[in-house]
Amino acid sequence: MVQISSEVSMDKLVSLCKRRGFIFQSSEIYGGLSSAWDYGPLGVELKNRIQRFWWREMTQLHDNIVGLDAAIMMHPRVWEASGHVENFTDPLVDCKQCKQRFRADQLEEKALAEHKCPHCGGELTEPRMFNLMFKTHLGPVADNGSLVYLRPETAQGIYVNFKNVHQTGRVKIPFGIAQVGKAFRNEITTKNFIFRTCEFEQMEMQFFIHPSEDKKWFEHWKEERFEYYKKLGIREKKLRFHQHGADELAHYAKIAFDIEYEFPFGWKELEGIHNRTDYDLKRHMEYSGKDLSYLDDGKKERFIPYVIETSAGLTRTVLTVLSDAYTEEEVGGEKRVVLKMHPLLAPVTVGVFPLVKKDGLAELARDIEASLREDFSTFYDQGGAIGRRYRRQDEAGTPFCLTIDYQSKEDGTVTLRYRDSMEQLRVPRDNLTGAINKAVKEYKRES
Ligand code: ATP
């Protein structure tokens, strides 16, 4: 086996995602809706597994982080208080000739200075500020009184529930609130597949602390979150930090680091870790007139907590996992495409194949598959040559495949084949669950 490449082009990835049922263009039969994507049978499994992995990591493994699921639509004053109505804008420029739109802050300096379109060389308009929040109306009358926004971040649902959670959740500062959910931004440039879309999912954990401890907790979460991506099976050489300069800082942030991944189109943000100070709680106190301060019983001190935010993109992590996993190898003169993702994330954990359909092998394979369903997600396939069946599962990222042959009928053993190394072992049927669980736990990517 010779590795051809562990780098993927976006075209290849988009094509594999469609071919195997990970991700489809939204409303495809109508010609598609730009920048909106649907998660197919394998895609939804992958996305759910990433979400579960994050949730376990951020709630179950901590005694001071609790969960929340707030509504997408919130009182419109929330977005005035948060600063989004005023500040959540991007500078938009249009090309007068080809009508393409760009974010002025993403244009190269030369194009900006010369007002020349990077696409056709035409003249660009002056930048105008454009708010990224989607607006809609609650109720039948579309007047100003019924205006609501689709949330552009999940964080505000956490801040406005801060008091509810700490009063009912028996949590004391420092503590965190975790949430996963959809967010919406009317992005000017949406390209690179699911990297930047107008509808996406975030996984956010807001950690409430005493203001004097902000440096300590910022460092803590910055390191924890970097380690998390390694646990997720992402190659470390593809991960790095990027500190926001003064010109990049969001209106609420005192200090911000991004965790970046090297996508096929370059190093880009995957998650942001921000010290949001007491900005959000203070603003909500001001706009709602409610007291959101915290009383430390022990020290008899009342204060407004600072917030360290860890804000990751769920759909962007799907792209990260897929890009990182994609590998091309040459095996016996043929190309093999394999997704080397962590077995915990793989949509199908075990593929089960009878060598042939006849002589009772299909029935035996079905029976083995049924016995594994309780513990693993399985996929039964009896169609085509065995090599072809392995290749299909390699492309789906299935870490283990079982082949049931004539020997299985005699001695109750089956062939267990590992995705990454293609190594094959004979394992007694009764030991399969243990062997697979062990291999999942001990998984380490070689290349
Ligand atoms: P950018 O500057 O690239 O627009 P941002 O810095 O505004 O992004 P944050 O507000 O920090 O992004 O959002 C936190 C995370 O949410 C990002 O790291 C990213 O993973 C995800 N995210 C933000 N916008 C989008 C989007 N349009 N599509 C997909 N994921 C997104």
Side-chain angles (χ1 to χ4, degrees):
M1 168 173 80
V2 183
Q3 189 171 91
I4 304 174
S5 171
S6 58
E7 306 291 325
V8 58
S9 72
M10 287 311 283
D11 287 351
K12 281 186 181 170
L13 199 61
V14 173
S15 147
L16 178 128
C17 282
K18 173 155 190 201
R19 190 164 73 239
R20 287 286 160 240
F22 278 98
I23 298 164
F24 308 120
Q25 170 87 71
S26 158
S27 327
E28 196 185 77
I29 61 168
Y30 288 96
L33 181 68
S34 83
S35 98
W37 301 91
D38 297 341
Y39 290 77
L42 295 191
V44 67
E45 290 291 342
L46 173 59
K47 182 154 73 67
N48 286 345
R49 276 156 213 264
I50 294 172
Q51 178 178 335
R52 279 206 293 275
F53 191 95
W54 183 91
W55 192 261
R56 177 179 183 276
E57 181 78 17
M58 299 305 276
T59 65
Q60 191 182 323
L61 301 185
H62 298 269
D63 61 4
N64 60 348
I65 304 182
V66 292
L68 180 78
D69 186 12
I72 286 172
M73 286 190 277
M74 304 177 73
H75 196 290
R77 291 276 284 166
V78 166
W79 305 109
E80 289 171 31
S82 70
H84 282 80
V85 170
E86 194 184 337
N87 295 316
F88 199 54
T89 49
D90 278 341
L92 168 72
V93 292
D94 289 296
C95 172
K96 292 181 184 168
Q97 200 164 300
C98 73
K99 310 290 177 207
Q100 282 227 21
R101 295 210 147 136
F102 305 95
R103 257 172 72 175
D105 60 327
Q106 287 182 348
L107 284 179
E108 286 187 11
E109 265 174 41
K110 188 165 169 285
L112 207 55
E114 293 173 1
H115 288 279
K116 286 278 177 215
C117 170
H119 185 65
C120 76
E123 195 189 338
L124 296 174
T125 60
E126 284 300 318
R128 55 199 163 89
M129 295 315 269
F130 168 80
N131 195 293
L132 272 73
M133 282 195 293
F134 282 101
K135 292 179 186 158
T136 187
H137 293 274
L138 211 54
V141 186
D143 60 15
N144 267 348
S146 66
L147 175 73
V148 287
Y149 300 97
L150 300 187
R151 67 180 177 199
E153 60 175 26
T154 57
Q156 298 302 324
I158 294 181
Y159 304 140
V160 300
N161 278 297
F162 166 70
K163 202 139 208 156
N164 282 338
V165 172
H166 97 69
Q167 283 177 346
T168 57
R170 301 181 60 80
V171 274
K172 286 201 160 89
I173 273 178
F175 75 89
I177 304 179
Q179 174 168 227
V180 180
K182 290 227 169 182
F184 301 83
R185 296 180 186 179
N186 202 354
E187 300 275 7
I188 297 167
T189 43
T190 52
K191 52 178 186 184
N192 293 329
F193 198 27
I194 56 170
F195 176 79
R196 184 185 300 285
T197 47
C198 290
E199 173 181 348
F200 57 99
E201 282 173 79
Q202 290 187 314
M203 304 182 287
E204 295 197 313
M205 196 281 294
Q206 311 290 329
F207 201 70
F208 298 89
I209 55 166
H210 189 280
S212 65
E213 298 198 315
D214 65 341
K215 283 196 187 63
K216 176 180 109 184
W217 283 112
F218 187 85
E219 276 309 309
H220 171 84
W221 284 113
K222 191 177 141 227
E223 298 309 322
E224 282 267 311
R225 295 304 302 153
F226 197 87
E227 288 304 308
Y228 159 86
Y229 288 103
K230 286 161 55 187
K231 286 190 211 164
L232 200 64
I234 306 298
R235 289 168 297 172
E236 193 174 354
K237 65 176 181 187
K238 294 276 187 178
L239 294 165
R240 72 175 188 195
F241 282 118
H242 163 75
Q243 179 168 15
H244 282 212
D247 54 333
E248 289 172 278
L249 278 179
H251 60 272
Y252 49 73
K254 177 172 157 190
I255 174 166
F257 272 78
D258 292 340
I259 296 174
E260 292 187 335
Y261 177 77
E262 191 180 17
F263 289 97
F265 40 88
W267 288 94
K268 299 276 178 209
E269 171 178 347
L270 176 56
E271 163 158 355
I273 297 121
H274 309 124
N275 178 354
R276 290 180 76 132
T277 70
D278 54 9
Y279 176 86
D280 298 275
L281 288 181
K282 254 194 180 146
R283 294 274 291 198
H284 286 305
M285 284 174 72
E286 194 185 312
Y287 279 69
S288 69
K290 299 287 184 315
D291 179 14
L292 301 179
S293 65
Y294 176 89
L295 177 67
D296 183 330
D297 301 337
K299 292 202 187 102
K300 299 276 174 263
E301 183 194 0
R302 185 171 281 285
F303 61 93
I304 303 170
Y306 266 31
V307 172
I308 305 299
E309 164 180 74
T310 70
S311 176
L314 170 54
T315 40
R316 202 171 278 186
T317 307
V318 172
L319 182 61
T320 305
V321 168
L322 288 169
S323 315
D324 204 61
Y326 188 100
T327 311
E328 287 179 6
E329 290 169 354
E330 197 187 293
V331 183
E334 275 186 38
K335 191 172 88 174
R336 162 173 109 119
V337 173
V338 51
L339 292 184
K340 293 186 174 176
M341 61 176 74
H342 195 292
L344 281 175
L345 304 182
V348 175
T349 314
V350 194
V352 183
F353 318 142
L355 184 64
V356 290
K357 280 179 261 184
K358 53 182 189 177
D359 301 330
L361 292 188
E363 290 74 10
L364 181 58
R366 284 266 186 213
D367 187 51
I368 291 176
E369 192 224 351
S371 67
L372 293 171
R373 272 177 186 257
E374 191 75 31
D375 299 301
F376 307 105
S377 78
T378 58
F379 185 81
Y380 177 84
D381 187 1
Q382 61 176 27
I386 201 84
R388 295 265 305 275
R389 285 183 257 168
Y390 281 141
R391 293 291 176 275
R392 279 201 289 265
Q393 293 308 311
D394 286 343
E395 283 201 346
T398 305
F400 313 106
C401 287
L402 303 176
T403 300
I404 286 80
D405 57 14
Y406 289 101
Q407 193 185 330
S408 312
K409 272 174 65 173
E410 281 159 28
D411 66 5
T413 63
V414 304
T415 303
L416 168 60
R417 182 245 197 202
Y418 294 90
R419 176 195 66 201
D420 293 10
S421 63
M422 294 188 294
E423 191 191 338
Q424 304 193 0
L425 292 178
R426 280 210 85 92
V427 180
R429 180 185 168 165
D430 295 345
N431 294 358
L432 279 174
T433 303
I436 293 167
N437 274 329
K438 185 163 176 282
V440 172
K441 252 207 152 95
E442 291 173 357
Y443 178 77
K444 227 175 152 31
R445 184 165 167 183
E446 301 280 303
S447 53

